[in-house]
Amino acid sequence: MDAEWTIKGALEWTEGYLADKGDENPRLSAQWLLSEATGLSRTHLFMNYDRPLSSDERATLRDYVKRRGAGEPLQYITGEVTFRYIPVKVRPGVLIPRPETEVLVSEVLAALPDPVKREARWNEEAAAQESEALEALKEALGKAQEALAENQRAAKTFREADAADAEEADAVEERERPIGSAESSANPEVATAPLLVADLCTGTGCIACSLAYEHPDVRVIATDIAPEAVALARENIAALGLEDRVAVLQCSLGTGIGEKRMGTFDAVVSNPPYVPTSVLADIPREVAEFEPNLALDGGADGLDLFRPLVVWAARALKPQGVLACELHEGHMDAAATVAKQAGFTQVRIVDDLAGRPRVLVARRA
């Protein structure tokens, strides 16, 4: 690239280069990579067409373009993707979250009870300010009373005003009384049992983190067999400050979750490997060559892991607990049959954002 290249020139050159390399959407890829290299949003790229790239930006973009030209997914290059309402770190060796998986999260949230309404906690700083304001009011009233004591009529008027002010002060104090004080100890904040969810084959942890982030009563035990996925999921959990509500275990499906947990889960959710082996030959090159086969191959009919998963979920869930799984569109009827044979009821299939059957939802009888 020319040392004087502007953002406009870099965009045009990158788009042309990636088009020659077979990128399905070279313009979008060019914008995404240059945005990441410069720290500018795509909108600000267009507003700064004439801005020259610094030497560091050119070097970074050159590396990005080389990797993208070789077929590496954009998400691995930039290291992050947005999933529903949260940023999720991604890296090679762990499956990249897809938009259709957001539908899976929506179905679980819709099936769980709504968050419990909580009373506001007492704010000590606000209490101190209120106390100071009341003291100042009392002091002002006292001084005014002394100044007007010689005038009977004014004194009478003042006493009436004083009574009204005192009544209002008492009303304010009552409204702002701290929860947990002696007067309100009979109405403590309601304690509720958390909603326990198992997220099997968690990958980046995007499902577990989204559920906990969006529903304050949810607690998640997430599992994955791949150490790379477990490590990355823990990073995402920590980055979102969810360590006290989401835990990750390295194991196959639910095998690492103890027997004492059986029958206690409100939901079991999973995006397991579900691509039929025969279909893997036709998936895009950037998926086949860069994303882990372990997270994709679901066997002959895509249900190799779904079958033992359903058996485990039938034991792990409470009565009427929810099972939700993302699966291949070509085998949803077979998956529904497997779920019914395992004792699940209210089995239904939900379409993804592209209108394809994608998510199975069922209830434990």
Side-chain angles (χ1 to χ4, degrees):
M1 291 184 185
D2 191 289
E4 298 301 320
W5 264 21
T6 61
I7 285 177
K8 183 176 186 293
L11 279 171
E12 292 174 346
W13 182 88
T14 301
E15 180 181 344
Y17 177 85
L18 294 179
D20 290 341
K21 292 294 183 178
D23 193 306
E24 292 184 358
N25 198 332
R27 177 171 298 179
L28 179 61
S29 294
Q31 294 170 1
W32 197 340
L33 295 178
L34 192 58
S35 177
E36 189 69 21
T38 61
L40 297 173
S41 68
R42 289 168 60 193
T43 300
H44 282 92
L45 289 179
F46 303 136
M47 295 170 62
N48 291 273
Y49 261 178
D50 295 331
R51 201 203 86 176
L53 271 66
S54 69
S55 58
D56 288 343
E57 290 170 342
R58 292 197 305 273
T60 299
L61 181 62
R62 189 177 295 112
D63 174 62
Y64 287 171
V65 171
K66 180 179 179 181
R67 292 165 63 183
R68 182 59 184 161
E72 186 173 349
L74 287 166
Q75 296 90 336
Y76 284 159
I77 297 172
T78 61
E80 189 174 278
V81 65
T82 298
F83 184 83
R84 289 180 66 89
Y85 304 106
I86 60 174
V88 177
K89 298 178 183 178
V90 294
R91 58 170 169 255
V94 184
L95 191 70
I96 298 169
R98 265 52 174 195
E100 50 263 37
T101 305
E102 296 188 9
V103 176
L104 177 63
V105 175
S106 293
E107 289 300 318
V108 177
L109 289 171
L112 291 172
D114 291 336
V116 173
K117 293 183 178 180
R118 292 171 168 79
E119 297 181 31
R121 292 185 178 276
W122 178 246
N123 186 314
E124 291 188 7
E125 183 178 354
Q129 292 175 352
E130 179 67 21
S131 178
E132 291 176 2
L134 288 173
E135 289 299 324
L137 176 61
K138 291 177 181 179
E139 183 178 353
L141 291 173
K143 290 180 179 180
Q145 187 174 17
E146 292 176 359
L148 296 172
E150 296 179 2
N151 190 313
Q152 284 291 75
R153 182 179 300 177
K156 180 180 179 181
T157 302
F158 178 79
R159 283 194 297 273
E160 292 174 349
D162 185 36
D165 289 337
E167 182 178 352
E168 175 60 21
D170 289 342
V172 170
E173 187 175 9
E174 181 62 29
R175 288 197 301 270
E176 301 295 332
R177 192 180 305 283
I179 296 172
S181 68
E183 292 83 356
S184 60
S185 59
N187 297 296
E189 181 177 339
V190 177
T192 59
L195 299 171
L196 187 58
V197 177
D199 173 25
L200 311 183
C201 308
T202 195
T204 61
C206 61
I207 296 173
C209 289
S210 286
L211 290 172
Y213 182 85
E214 296 182 46
H215 197 308
D217 298 331
V218 163
R219 305 293 183 270
V220 187
I221 298 177
T223 73
D224 204 289
I225 196 171
E228 302 89 348
V230 171
L232 182 56
R234 287 173 177 165
E235 285 184 30
N236 281 317
I237 291 164
L240 292 165
L242 296 171
E243 299 100 321
D244 60 335
R245 297 174 53 207
V246 184
V248 186
L249 304 176
Q250 183 178 344
C251 63
S252 176
L253 298 179
T255 57
I257 299 176
E259 282 295 316
K260 67 179 181 179
R261 294 287 190 185
M262 295 301 98
T264 68
F265 285 90
D266 295 275
V268 172
V269 58
S270 182
N271 178 17
Y274 64 70
V275 181
T277 304
S278 60
V279 177
L280 285 173
D282 299 323
I283 62 176
R285 178 171 68 95
E286 67 178 73
V287 177
E289 294 185 6
F290 289 90
E291 298 199 62
N293 187 74
L294 180 66
L296 296 169
D297 194 345
D301 61 358
L303 301 177
D304 276 7
L305 263 73
F306 179 72
R307 291 186 177 88
L309 188 157
V310 168
V311 173
W312 183 85
R315 295 179 56 241
L317 286 167
K318 297 176 180 177
Q320 290 300 302
V322 179
L323 170 67
C325 291
E326 180 179 329
L327 298 166
H328 189 267
E329 66 249 42
H331 298 275
M332 299 302 291
D333 289 341
T337 299
V338 171
K340 292 174 183 177
Q341 290 174 343
F344 284 89
T345 63
Q346 303 177 46
V347 180
R348 57 189 180 88
I349 307 302
V350 180
D351 289 348
D352 63 16
L353 300 175
R356 296 169 296 191
R358 181 65 61 198
V359 175
L360 179 142
V361 183
R363 295 270 186 182
R364 181 191 167 192

